[in-house]
Amino acid sequence: MQLLVALTTVPVMLGLVIESASTVGIPTVIGSSGRPRSGRVVHYNGGPLTWGSHANCRAQVRQMHAYHRARGWAGIGYHLLICWHGVVLTGRGIYRVGAHAPGANASHVGVQFMLGGSQRPSAAQLAAFVALAAWLAARGVKASVTGHRDWNSTSCPGDHLYRRVRSGDWGSGDSGDRSVPPAPTFSYWTVAGVRVPTGDPWLLRGMRGTPVLRLQEGLKKWRPSLLPQYGADGSFGQETEDAVEALQRARGIRIDGVYGTESAAELRRALSSSASKPSGPDPLVVDGRLGELTAKAVQRALQVEDDGVWGPVTVRAMQLRCGLRGRAVDGILGPQTTRAVQRRVGLTSRAVDGIWPSVRAVSKAGIVTLNSGVVSQTTRELQKTVNARRF
């Protein structure tokens, strides 16, 4: 067997390559320091993952890191991950406390096989898992192997991997003769006359094929100005990534350019809304959610471009409408502006607190990132005021 060598990886022993967190593209320090040494806990993704170039594997780890951060964790919870190609990608690393299985986080190394659903491990993944055991043993980690379901009520790591956990058989099995990973099954929704992927598996930069084409068609149906250079060509490049980010920004969800289940749900809502929208302005649904539709209605009331983005132009116009003047008209949606909006929409003095739970963060450029699922009284009263044409 040849020693695997790559400029961006660390060859640590025959048949095993471990990529550092910096190579993967995530922080090198996540969570508190620790020394989990009691064994390994095996995990999988749950939903199926897409395969392709190894760059996709790194992108998926970055997506997991962002998802775990959004759940309030310090970052990706697994210590190590093994991709289809048999490369071990560093998550937290073996000198940190994990966030992968309550009861085992400080004592056991969490190892995720990057697959899910009915997908089975490749021969390269299994070989890497075996080689990894020797590497970990040299660093004091015991040989014990358990599954996530041994610690918590969960189906993880799936029946196939769990049978291997119980039997100790990490040989090639029925996946040993597969040189090419099977294509994951994609499902679709039909919305506004187009079929759009459900986001499980993910779609991300570097992928090609029918699922990407359907995504692009859905994005152009939602906003025809997107994808101006290449259009719906079935190739997920920079232009498609920018279009996905435009969707995420407009709908107030995490902006990462990866089309997953959250982005798919928002595209479905956006297409459904545009398909059912009558001619002329229609009243907002008073649901307390601060998103694209509320932004557009406020922008029309303020007579600025109704692009659905909560940015500095919209905020300045809102500040002026709410009676702010001078330095207070800075295009930044902060506590002072929030209090002015709360007074404008008629909240009681006790409720005028400068806190808008629907707003997650505001960048230095004034772009607002939203908590799209959060319902707030300020947003609800704003929607009522806009509907009554009193804003």
Side-chain angles (χ1 to χ4, degrees):
M1 183 179 291
Q2 291 183 332
L3 180 66
L4 302 180
V5 179
L7 292 177
T8 57
T9 60
V10 180
V12 293
M13 61 184 297
L14 290 178
L16 181 65
V17 172
I18 299 179
E19 292 192 333
S20 67
S22 59
T23 296
V24 175
I26 62 174
T28 55
V29 177
I30 300 173
S32 56
S33 61
R35 289 184 65 84
R37 295 295 181 267
S38 299
R40 287 166 289 167
V41 179
V42 175
H43 298 261
Y44 80 155
N45 185 63
L49 290 178
T50 50
W51 293 298
S53 71
H54 185 59
N56 284 351
C57 303
R58 293 173 182 157
Q60 288 173 351
V61 174
R62 293 194 294 271
Q63 169 74 1
M64 291 178 200
H65 172 69
Y67 175 70
H68 287 182
R69 287 268 297 173
R71 297 191 66 178
W73 304 347
I76 191 166
Y78 309 110
H79 292 96
L80 302 165
L81 304 94
I82 307 176
C83 76
W84 177 267
H85 308 93
V87 175
V88 177
L89 298 92
T90 298
R92 293 198 173 197
I94 63 171
Y95 298 104
R96 315 300 293 180
V97 173
H100 58 94
N105 289 325
S107 57
H108 288 67
V109 175
V111 181
Q112 195 221 49
F113 279 79
M114 293 180 63
L115 48 83
S118 61
Q119 294 172 333
R120 297 190 176 190
S122 68
Q125 277 180 304
L126 295 171
F129 185 74
V130 172
L132 181 63
W135 185 81
L136 290 172
R139 285 150 183 82
V141 179
K142 295 180 180 178
S144 169
V145 179
T146 53
H148 188 185
R149 66 176 68 175
D150 291 322
W151 297 89
N152 310 110
S153 178
T154 174
S155 61
C156 181
D159 292 341
H160 180 82
L161 280 175
Y162 191 65
R163 283 195 295 270
R164 292 184 180 274
V165 169
R166 300 295 290 174
S167 69
D169 175 16
W170 297 99
S172 60
D174 58 5
S175 65
D177 59 350
R178 296 185 184 182
S179 58
V180 179
T185 301
F186 287 87
S187 55
Y188 300 87
W189 295 312
T190 300
V191 191
V194 295
R195 297 182 72 214
V196 294
T198 62
D200 187 5
W202 300 331
L203 296 173
L204 65 162
R205 189 170 180 176
M207 297 179 64
R208 298 174 181 271
T210 299
V212 176
L213 177 66
R214 297 291 176 254
L215 166 62
Q216 292 167 329
E217 291 171 346
L219 289 168
K220 287 192 70 65
K221 179 78 172 183
W222 168 63
R223 189 169 285 181
S225 61
L226 294 175
L227 307 172
Q229 185 174 0
Y230 298 107
D233 62 353
S235 177
F236 199 124
Q238 182 65 61
E239 189 173 71
T240 302
E241 186 174 86
D242 291 343
V244 172
E245 289 186 356
L247 169 72
Q248 293 167 334
R249 185 177 297 107
R251 304 297 294 185
I253 60 176
R254 184 176 61 253
I255 302 170
D256 58 10
V258 176
Y259 183 79
T261 53
E262 190 177 23
S263 297
E266 290 302 328
L267 180 57
R268 186 183 191 183
R269 291 190 187 103
L271 290 172
S272 298
S273 175
S274 63
S276 61
K277 184 176 180 179
S279 58
D282 50 63
L284 284 166
V285 175
V286 180
D287 58 4
R289 293 182 61 195
L290 190 63
E292 180 186 23
L293 297 181
T294 301
K296 286 186 174 183
V298 170
Q299 288 167 334
R300 287 192 291 269
L302 296 172
Q303 296 183 332
V304 297
E305 181 186 1
D306 59 340
D307 60 2
V309 177
W310 291 96
V313 174
T314 299
V315 173
R316 285 192 190 94
M318 190 163 61
Q319 290 168 332
L320 290 169
R321 180 65 58 89
C322 293
L324 297 179
R325 295 292 183 268
R327 293 183 178 180
V329 183
D330 56 5
I332 301 297
L333 184 52
Q336 183 178 15
T337 302
T338 297
R339 283 192 290 270
V341 172
Q342 290 170 332
R343 287 191 291 266
R344 177 81 181 183
V345 300
L347 291 181
T348 62
S349 57
R350 180 177 297 180
V352 179
D353 56 7
I355 300 172
W356 202 333
S358 304
V359 177
R360 178 186 298 168
V362 181
S363 72
K364 291 182 179 180
I367 301 297
V368 178
T369 302
L370 304 177
N371 287 315
S372 60
V374 172
V375 174
S376 74
Q377 184 182 8
T378 299
T379 302
R380 187 178 289 109
E381 295 305 317
L382 173 63
Q383 291 167 332
K384 291 179 182 178
T385 304
V386 170
N387 282 342
R389 299 184 181 181
R390 291 187 286 102
F391 186 72

